[in-house]
Amino acid sequence: MTGFHRLAGNLQSSSSAALRSTYALSLRLARASLRLLLRPLRPLLAPLLFAGGMDDSLASDDRLPDLDTGSSAGAGSGSCTRFLNDADVAEDDRGESIYLVPYRWWIETRNNVKEVVGTSYTTTSKEDSALQILLEMRRENYHKSDNKEEGFSGGEFALVPETTWLQTLKSHNDSIGVNDISTKSQMHDVFPLQIRLSVSQETKSLRARISLVDNHTYYRKACSIFRPETELLRIWDFSGQTTLFFVDDGNDFAADSPRHSGREILLELQVHGLSNSGNGMRRREGNTTFTDSRMGSTFSSGILRLNGSIDIFQPDGRTYSLAESDGYQRETGLLGLKGLQNLGNTCFMNSAIQCLVHTPKVVDYFLGDYRKEINSTNPLGMQGELALAFGELSRKLWSPGTNPIDPRAFKSKLAKFAPQFSGYNQHDSQEFLAFLLDGLHEDLNRVKWKPYIEMKDAADCPDEEVAEEYWQSHLARNDSIVVDVCQGQFRSKLVCPMCKKVSITFDPFMYLTLPLPSTTMRSMTVTVVSTDGVALPSPLAVSVPNCGSLKDLIQALSFECFLRDDETLLVAEVYNNCILRYLEDPFDSIDLIRDDDQIVAYRLPKSSETSVLVEFIHKKDERDSYSGRASTQMFGFPLVARLPDLSCGYDVRQAFLKLINPFLKPTEEDASYDYDDAEHSVSAYEDSDMEDTQSPCDTESDAEMVDGPNEFEFFLGDSSKLRMSEPVVVARARRRLQILASWPEKMLEKYDLCFLGSLPEIFKRQWFTRRPSESVSLYKCLEAFLKEEPLGPEDMWYCPSCKQHQQASKKLDLWRLPEILVFHLKRFSFSQFLKNKLETFVDFPIEDLDLSSYIANRSSFFSCRYVLYAISNHYGGLGGGHYTAFVHHGHNRWYEFGDERVFPINEEGIKTSAAYVLFYRRVPAA
């Protein structure tokens, strides 16, 4: 940098404007390059820089005091400073802001903020004019802890870092009454002020110059603050910025300090709560308020804010903001009521973020000094980039103002951790939340080196000891704010169905995905066809588990059709009058069966399971009435029989006649008989022409007796006609035979084919009728989640006793409940063929969710009661929908966040069938 300044001295004597411009550009580029090179060394270099041991131009001109050394607010700390000596520096490169606030407000409202040490300055106005204010700041020999500030009669102010200011402001926001409008309006009263600092060696003091040139817009406000009726002011520095001018803790300036040479350093402050104050302060109802002669006109005309909105004070005491960008009214006065811009299908992200940034301990953490816990060496994280982006977004959402925040920078960081969220496609808010919490955990994991821990078999140890060992092992590898607040513990119990071996483990969880019990069962209509020649086909509606298997369907059908012990069911799918496939694997998921499929279950004797399976497909000849051409058409659904003794075509014919016997129309002779007589029904197909007929397989002449123009004809799969005396050969490998049965005109009239003509679908959707709305309680959803169930065939458990994979039964229990309990309602179901959203209304508690009866750890001393504080909602269907959020903001107020829009909502309106993710916080035990 020294060479650059020598070059600058030579160029100053030159009259060439082009060379000066080139130098200025080169200097900026060099400074930017140097900043990038020194960025990794900032924590090490900062103490040296602030001690004044570096070149003056490098420290001041290049703004190296902005080095990110943390946010400690103590005196003498190397915290970030808002020095502005390069107008071309981007906003993102600047350090933490410093706020000027009323001292008494600062002291009285920082109950929950970490204690910091402040240095006091007695401030007087030395030279004054219409164009500038000149203040002399003389350091006093005591700090805040000496309590000598009591009795001071002048105006008092405090310089505080942004981190602790925002924490204090939120604490104040949480404590004030919802109707205290005068106090709430001060929260949005923030404006920038630029002060030029220099050192006066003669008076051993700091000089602060506030000029109209630097503060054209807010100079009048600065005059009302620093031109009080009394000349004496006191400024408390809790940021540690002014102490950088001094040696250690004394009043002497550092001899080698770059700031003692008389040159001015430009410092930007953010002034809060002093816009209308002057120097007058008065007490009202325990809160500090500020008065000004212009207050009346302000209330009537509104206050134009920096964020581009206008605060309008209504006669009823409510404050509204009319934003120029969106044109709607929104209630203001409280922090945390900013919306998020929709970048294009990012409502899912906005909904989840609003719920998370209103999670009590999470927001307090990110408004504090969270940077010290960033894990930059974790290979599973993003070296802290995601945590920093989320922390910055949280601060913007909780800072004063009403303008919506652009989350583009945060989204780009998240996309690096979870690439599926890059672009602008619609996603699931719960999936986004899971990835975000996981990413934040890895970035903030306090464990730098994860030990390898092998969990041993607990054998007969008490569950309490085993659970604690599992939890401590988990904490040895995972320790972050996410674990502290959001993670609980399951007890998982597996039982082998063969040897009854029991395995118990304790696993962490971050949220509970609850099924909706009213939709855990699927209604299916299947046609059961008897093969005994007696009963007609019967459609049966059964209910099976929504995630069940073919075994569950067969069991339900067996119960409904009173299946005998010597019978079995063969399930097949029928398509275009043919059997498309047999469903024979009992472990196949019923998701393979679509709602518009036609399923038939054939009742077959168990004794013939090894026999040849014959499929009869029906066809008939039809003649076109217009052209007169004859054509063959298939109809009905196939009939199935097992033939243990299949020798010739006659056996095929006899089996077919038995199957179609139930479809035979009654004759006049049959009218005198009781059709309930089973004996009559069984022999009905044995008409007179085959009563005394022996098997035509013996002679070819006998075969002609059953062949004729009015008799059934049978064809093999290769279209060859099957004669009665012709032997039938079936391949041993297949053991299946497909027969095409041709129906003559006479037989079509003899049999009633309406029972054979059509099959019902598995589930018939009613397009023009709405299903009755379902309702279920959250407790029922939790019970369905904790219910014991067998593992699926794809999740088989390896039994250490049997030495093989078994379909064990699994039972989950809640063992350790987290501070923040998140319920994910499983509204979306996906399968190979179907996608569906469930609109079931879930009735969830708002004030008192009691889980004491669901916790398995009876020795737990933590409270099991929770209150609702946020909801992520999804409106619409799978093809297109919209996410919003309901958030409880204290003082019995709920707000709806719909991207940029934020408005109040009644508590009665937060219970809807759109509720998707529920956020509960624990209520401390009484």
Side-chain angles (χ1 to χ4, degrees), residues 326-356:
D326 49 28
Y328 65 88
Q329 287 187 341
R330 172 174 48 196
E331 184 177 1
T332 63
L334 294 175
L335 298 178
L337 295 181
K338 288 185 180 180
L340 286 167
Q341 294 179 9
N342 192 321
L343 306 178
N345 284 329
T346 57
C347 57
F348 72 94
M349 178 181 75
N350 295 344
S351 173
I353 288 176
Q354 293 290 5
C355 293
L356 194 56

mmCIF file of all heavy atoms in Angstrom, residues 326-356:
data_model
loop_
_atom_site.group_PDB
_atom_site.id
_atom_site.type_symbol
_atom_site.label_atom_id
_atom_site.label_comp_id
_atom_site.label_asym_id
_atom_site.label_seq_id
_atom_site.Cartn_x
_atom_site.Cartn_y
_atom_site.Cartn_z
ATOM 1 N N ASP A 326 -47.075 -2.542 -1.961
ATOM 2 C CA ASP A 326 -48.142 -3.528 -2.082
ATOM 3 C C ASP A 326 -49.537 -2.931 -1.962
ATOM 4 O O ASP A 326 -50.506 -3.599 -2.286
ATOM 5 C CB ASP A 326 -47.952 -4.628 -1.020
ATOM 6 C CG ASP A 326 -47.724 -4.058 0.368
ATOM 7 O OD1 ASP A 326 -48.206 -2.956 0.656
ATOM 8 O OD2 ASP A 326 -47.057 -4.737 1.148
ATOM 9 N N GLY A 327 -49.697 -1.748 -1.441
ATOM 10 C CA GLY A 327 -50.982 -1.072 -1.480
ATOM 11 C C GLY A 327 -52.017 -1.616 -0.527
ATOM 12 O O GLY A 327 -53.200 -1.363 -0.688
ATOM 13 N N TYR A 328 -51.646 -2.378 0.480
ATOM 14 C CA TYR A 328 -52.630 -2.847 1.446
ATOM 15 C C TYR A 328 -52.246 -2.348 2.825
ATOM 16 O O TYR A 328 -51.125 -1.944 3.072
ATOM 17 C CB TYR A 328 -52.702 -4.376 1.447
ATOM 18 C CG TYR A 328 -51.443 -5.048 1.906
ATOM 19 C CD1 TYR A 328 -51.222 -5.321 3.260
ATOM 20 C CD2 TYR A 328 -50.454 -5.403 1.000
ATOM 21 C CE1 TYR A 328 -50.073 -5.925 3.690
ATOM 22 C CE2 TYR A 328 -49.288 -6.003 1.439
ATOM 23 C CZ TYR A 328 -49.109 -6.263 2.768
ATOM 24 O OH TYR A 328 -47.958 -6.850 3.184
ATOM 25 N N GLN A 329 -53.203 -2.401 3.761
ATOM 26 C CA GLN A 329 -52.947 -1.930 5.115
ATOM 27 C C GLN A 329 -52.540 -3.098 5.993
ATOM 28 O O GLN A 329 -53.033 -4.199 5.873
ATOM 29 C CB GLN A 329 -54.205 -1.268 5.689
ATOM 30 C CG GLN A 329 -54.490 0.090 5.071
ATOM 31 C CD GLN A 329 -55.617 0.783 5.770
ATOM 32 O OE1 GLN A 329 -56.399 0.160 6.450
ATOM 33 N NE2 GLN A 329 -55.689 2.083 5.587
ATOM 34 N N ARG A 330 -51.635 -2.818 6.917
ATOM 35 C CA ARG A 330 -51.148 -3.850 7.813
ATOM 36 C C ARG A 330 -50.885 -3.231 9.172
ATOM 37 O O ARG A 330 -50.363 -2.132 9.267
ATOM 38 C CB ARG A 330 -49.862 -4.460 7.228
ATOM 39 C CG ARG A 330 -49.168 -5.410 8.170
ATOM 40 C CD ARG A 330 -48.013 -6.070 7.473
ATOM 41 N NE ARG A 330 -47.198 -5.094 6.772
ATOM 42 C CZ ARG A 330 -46.314 -5.403 5.842
ATOM 43 N NH1 ARG A 330 -46.185 -6.645 5.465
ATOM 44 N NH2 ARG A 330 -45.575 -4.471 5.268
ATOM 45 N N GLU A 331 -51.221 -3.969 10.186
ATOM 46 C CA GLU A 331 -50.998 -3.459 11.539
ATOM 47 C C GLU A 331 -49.513 -3.462 11.850
ATOM 48 O O GLU A 331 -48.804 -4.402 11.519
ATOM 49 C CB GLU A 331 -51.737 -4.335 12.549
ATOM 50 C CG GLU A 331 -51.627 -3.799 13.954
ATOM 51 C CD GLU A 331 -52.424 -4.640 14.925
ATOM 52 O OE1 GLU A 331 -53.023 -5.619 14.506
ATOM 53 O OE2 GLU A 331 -52.428 -4.283 16.109
ATOM 54 N N THR A 332 -49.028 -2.388 12.431
ATOM 55 C CA THR A 332 -47.623 -2.282 12.780
ATOM 56 C C THR A 332 -47.498 -1.968 14.252
ATOM 57 O O THR A 332 -48.467 -1.933 14.980
ATOM 58 C CB THR A 332 -46.939 -1.176 11.954
ATOM 59 O OG1 THR A 332 -47.564 0.065 12.289
ATOM 60 C CG2 THR A 332 -47.066 -1.432 10.478
ATOM 61 N N GLY A 333 -46.275 -1.681 14.683
ATOM 62 C CA GLY A 333 -46.036 -1.328 16.065
ATOM 63 C C GLY A 333 -45.302 -2.398 16.818
ATOM 64 O O GLY A 333 -44.705 -2.120 17.834
ATOM 65 N N LEU A 334 -45.318 -3.649 16.350
ATOM 66 C CA LEU A 334 -44.601 -4.735 16.992
ATOM 67 C C LEU A 334 -43.525 -5.245 16.052
ATOM 68 O O LEU A 334 -43.686 -5.227 14.830
ATOM 69 C CB LEU A 334 -45.556 -5.873 17.361
ATOM 70 C CG LEU A 334 -46.609 -5.563 18.420
ATOM 71 C CD1 LEU A 334 -47.550 -6.736 18.582
ATOM 72 C CD2 LEU A 334 -45.959 -5.227 19.753
ATOM 73 N N LEU A 335 -42.437 -5.725 16.637
ATOM 74 C CA LEU A 335 -41.370 -6.303 15.824
ATOM 75 C C LEU A 335 -41.781 -7.682 15.318
ATOM 76 O O LEU A 335 -42.674 -8.327 15.855
ATOM 77 C CB LEU A 335 -40.095 -6.416 16.655
ATOM 78 C CG LEU A 335 -39.496 -5.107 17.169
ATOM 79 C CD1 LEU A 335 -38.275 -5.412 18.022
ATOM 80 C CD2 LEU A 335 -39.131 -4.197 16.021
ATOM 81 N N GLY A 336 -41.069 -8.148 14.312
ATOM 82 C CA GLY A 336 -41.290 -9.495 13.804
ATOM 83 C C GLY A 336 -42.508 -9.638 12.925
ATOM 84 O O GLY A 336 -42.977 -10.762 12.720
ATOM 85 N N LEU A 337 -43.012 -8.541 12.381
ATOM 86 C CA LEU A 337 -44.194 -8.606 11.521
ATOM 87 C C LEU A 337 -43.856 -8.218 10.087
ATOM 88 O O LEU A 337 -44.657 -7.607 9.392
ATOM 89 C CB LEU A 337 -45.311 -7.703 12.059
ATOM 90 C CG LEU A 337 -45.894 -8.116 13.407
ATOM 91 C CD1 LEU A 337 -46.996 -7.163 13.828
ATOM 92 C CD2 LEU A 337 -46.408 -9.549 13.356
ATOM 93 N N LYS A 338 -42.685 -8.588 9.633
ATOM 94 C CA LYS A 338 -42.286 -8.346 8.252
ATOM 95 C C LYS A 338 -42.575 -9.571 7.402
ATOM 96 O O LYS A 338 -42.386 -10.710 7.847
ATOM 97 C CB LYS A 338 -40.797 -8.017 8.165
ATOM 98 C CG LYS A 338 -40.419 -6.649 8.691
ATOM 99 C CD LYS A 338 -38.948 -6.392 8.448
ATOM 100 C CE LYS A 338 -38.524 -5.022 8.954
ATOM 101 N NZ LYS A 338 -37.087 -4.781 8.706
ATOM 102 N N GLY A 339 -43.012 -9.340 6.184
ATOM 103 C CA GLY A 339 -43.232 -10.426 5.252
ATOM 104 C C GLY A 339 -41.964 -10.761 4.486
ATOM 105 O O GLY A 339 -40.929 -10.101 4.610
ATOM 106 N N LEU A 340 -42.051 -11.805 3.668
ATOM 107 C CA LEU A 340 -40.950 -12.240 2.810
ATOM 108 C C LEU A 340 -41.410 -12.203 1.358
ATOM 109 O O LEU A 340 -42.500 -12.676 1.037
ATOM 110 C CB LEU A 340 -40.502 -13.657 3.176
ATOM 111 C CG LEU A 340 -39.710 -13.804 4.475
ATOM 112 C CD1 LEU A 340 -39.616 -15.268 4.879
ATOM 113 C CD2 LEU A 340 -38.314 -13.217 4.325
ATOM 114 N N GLN A 341 -40.587 -11.656 0.512
ATOM 115 C CA GLN A 341 -40.939 -11.589 -0.901
ATOM 116 C C GLN A 341 -40.965 -12.981 -1.510
ATOM 117 O O GLN A 341 -40.144 -13.835 -1.172
ATOM 118 C CB GLN A 341 -39.934 -10.712 -1.656
ATOM 119 C CG GLN A 341 -39.955 -9.254 -1.251
ATOM 120 C CD GLN A 341 -38.920 -8.434 -2.002
ATOM 121 O OE1 GLN A 341 -38.292 -8.929 -2.944
ATOM 122 N NE2 GLN A 341 -38.737 -7.186 -1.599
ATOM 123 N N ASN A 342 -41.926 -13.195 -2.387
ATOM 124 C CA ASN A 342 -42.010 -14.454 -3.125
ATOM 125 C C ASN A 342 -41.141 -14.322 -4.366
ATOM 126 O O ASN A 342 -41.413 -13.525 -5.257
ATOM 127 C CB ASN A 342 -43.466 -14.749 -3.516
ATOM 128 C CG ASN A 342 -43.646 -16.167 -4.011
ATOM 129 O OD1 ASN A 342 -42.801 -16.706 -4.726
ATOM 130 N ND2 ASN A 342 -44.744 -16.794 -3.639
ATOM 131 N N LEU A 343 -40.071 -15.112 -4.427
ATOM 132 C CA LEU A 343 -39.127 -15.036 -5.529
ATOM 133 C C LEU A 343 -39.585 -15.842 -6.741
ATOM 134 O O LEU A 343 -38.916 -15.833 -7.770
ATOM 135 C CB LEU A 343 -37.748 -15.549 -5.078
ATOM 136 C CG LEU A 343 -37.182 -14.882 -3.833
ATOM 137 C CD1 LEU A 343 -35.839 -15.502 -3.471
ATOM 138 C CD2 LEU A 343 -37.047 -13.389 -4.028
ATOM 139 N N GLY A 344 -40.725 -16.509 -6.601
ATOM 140 C CA GLY A 344 -41.225 -17.392 -7.642
ATOM 141 C C GLY A 344 -41.377 -18.796 -7.102
ATOM 142 O O GLY A 344 -40.395 -19.542 -7.006
ATOM 143 N N ASN A 345 -42.603 -19.153 -6.699
ATOM 144 C CA ASN A 345 -42.884 -20.459 -6.096
ATOM 145 C C ASN A 345 -42.073 -20.700 -4.824
ATOM 146 O O ASN A 345 -41.695 -21.836 -4.526
ATOM 147 C CB ASN A 345 -42.611 -21.595 -7.093
ATOM 148 C CG ASN A 345 -43.691 -21.715 -8.136
ATOM 149 O OD1 ASN A 345 -44.853 -21.413 -7.887
ATOM 150 N ND2 ASN A 345 -43.322 -22.139 -9.332
ATOM 151 N N THR A 346 -41.784 -19.658 -4.072
ATOM 152 C CA THR A 346 -41.036 -19.825 -2.822
ATOM 153 C C THR A 346 -41.916 -19.629 -1.595
ATOM 154 O O THR A 346 -41.403 -19.384 -0.502
ATOM 155 C CB THR A 346 -39.858 -18.828 -2.757
ATOM 156 O OG1 THR A 346 -40.364 -17.492 -2.896
ATOM 157 C CG2 THR A 346 -38.854 -19.104 -3.847
ATOM 158 N N CYS A 347 -43.237 -19.752 -1.764
ATOM 159 C CA CYS A 347 -44.122 -19.619 -0.604
ATOM 160 C C CYS A 347 -43.871 -20.726 0.404
ATOM 161 O O CYS A 347 -44.070 -20.535 1.609
ATOM 162 C CB CYS A 347 -45.579 -19.608 -1.052
ATOM 163 S SG CYS A 347 -46.095 -21.061 -1.992
ATOM 164 N N PHE A 348 -43.437 -21.906 -0.053
ATOM 165 C CA PHE A 348 -43.128 -23.002 0.875
ATOM 166 C C PHE A 348 -41.986 -22.599 1.799
ATOM 167 O O PHE A 348 -42.006 -22.889 3.004
ATOM 168 C CB PHE A 348 -42.762 -24.267 0.081
ATOM 169 C CG PHE A 348 -41.421 -24.206 -0.590
ATOM 170 C CD1 PHE A 348 -40.290 -24.710 0.020
ATOM 171 C CD2 PHE A 348 -41.285 -23.627 -1.838
ATOM 172 C CE1 PHE A 348 -39.048 -24.651 -0.599
ATOM 173 C CE2 PHE A 348 -40.064 -23.556 -2.471
ATOM 174 C CZ PHE A 348 -38.937 -24.068 -1.848
ATOM 175 N N MET A 349 -40.984 -21.939 1.258
ATOM 176 C CA MET A 349 -39.844 -21.483 2.046
ATOM 177 C C MET A 349 -40.246 -20.364 2.994
ATOM 178 O O MET A 349 -39.869 -20.373 4.180
ATOM 179 C CB MET A 349 -38.730 -21.007 1.107
ATOM 180 C CG MET A 349 -37.500 -20.473 1.811
ATOM 181 S SD MET A 349 -36.222 -19.898 0.672
ATOM 182 C CE MET A 349 -36.981 -18.344 0.130
ATOM 183 N N ASN A 350 -41.037 -19.411 2.500
ATOM 184 C CA ASN A 350 -41.454 -18.289 3.341
ATOM 185 C C ASN A 350 -42.275 -18.767 4.533
ATOM 186 O O ASN A 350 -42.124 -18.263 5.650
ATOM 187 C CB ASN A 350 -42.264 -17.297 2.507
ATOM 188 C CG ASN A 350 -41.427 -16.648 1.417
ATOM 189 O OD1 ASN A 350 -40.205 -16.704 1.452
ATOM 190 N ND2 ASN A 350 -42.084 -16.049 0.441
ATOM 191 N N SER A 351 -43.162 -19.731 4.299
ATOM 192 C CA SER A 351 -44.001 -20.241 5.382
ATOM 193 C C SER A 351 -43.158 -20.890 6.472
ATOM 194 O O SER A 351 -43.343 -20.618 7.663
ATOM 195 C CB SER A 351 -45.013 -21.244 4.817
ATOM 196 O OG SER A 351 -45.727 -21.881 5.846
ATOM 197 N N ALA A 352 -42.213 -21.750 6.082
ATOM 198 C CA ALA A 352 -41.380 -22.437 7.073
ATOM 199 C C ALA A 352 -40.474 -21.457 7.811
ATOM 200 O O ALA A 352 -40.267 -21.580 9.027
ATOM 201 C CB ALA A 352 -40.558 -23.528 6.383
ATOM 202 N N ILE A 353 -39.925 -20.474 7.095
ATOM 203 C CA ILE A 353 -39.022 -19.514 7.738
ATOM 204 C C ILE A 353 -39.768 -18.684 8.776
ATOM 205 O O ILE A 353 -39.263 -18.457 9.887
ATOM 206 C CB ILE A 353 -38.377 -18.603 6.677
ATOM 207 C CG1 ILE A 353 -37.339 -19.390 5.865
ATOM 208 C CG2 ILE A 353 -37.719 -17.393 7.327
ATOM 209 C CD1 ILE A 353 -36.717 -18.592 4.738
ATOM 210 N N GLN A 354 -40.968 -18.226 8.457
ATOM 211 C CA GLN A 354 -41.728 -17.425 9.412
ATOM 212 C C GLN A 354 -42.014 -18.215 10.683
ATOM 213 O O GLN A 354 -41.972 -17.666 11.792
ATOM 214 C CB GLN A 354 -43.029 -16.923 8.780
ATOM 215 C CG GLN A 354 -42.855 -15.918 7.658
ATOM 216 C CD GLN A 354 -42.360 -14.567 8.144
ATOM 217 O OE1 GLN A 354 -42.056 -14.375 9.314
ATOM 218 N NE2 GLN A 354 -42.289 -13.606 7.237
ATOM 219 N N CYS A 355 -42.315 -19.497 10.537
ATOM 220 C CA CYS A 355 -42.540 -20.328 11.725
ATOM 221 C C CYS A 355 -41.260 -20.471 12.539
ATOM 222 O O CYS A 355 -41.281 -20.426 13.772
ATOM 223 C CB CYS A 355 -43.062 -21.704 11.313
ATOM 224 S SG CYS A 355 -44.715 -21.702 10.583
ATOM 225 N N LEU A 356 -40.137 -20.633 11.850
ATOM 226 C CA LEU A 356 -38.879 -20.873 12.558
ATOM 227 C C LEU A 356 -38.349 -19.607 13.219
ATOM 228 O O LEU A 356 -37.837 -19.662 14.351
ATOM 229 C CB LEU A 356 -37.842 -21.429 11.584
ATOM 230 C CG LEU A 356 -36.587 -22.050 12.200
ATOM 231 C CD1 LEU A 356 -36.962 -23.154 13.184
ATOM 232 C CD2 LEU A 356 -35.667 -22.596 11.124
#
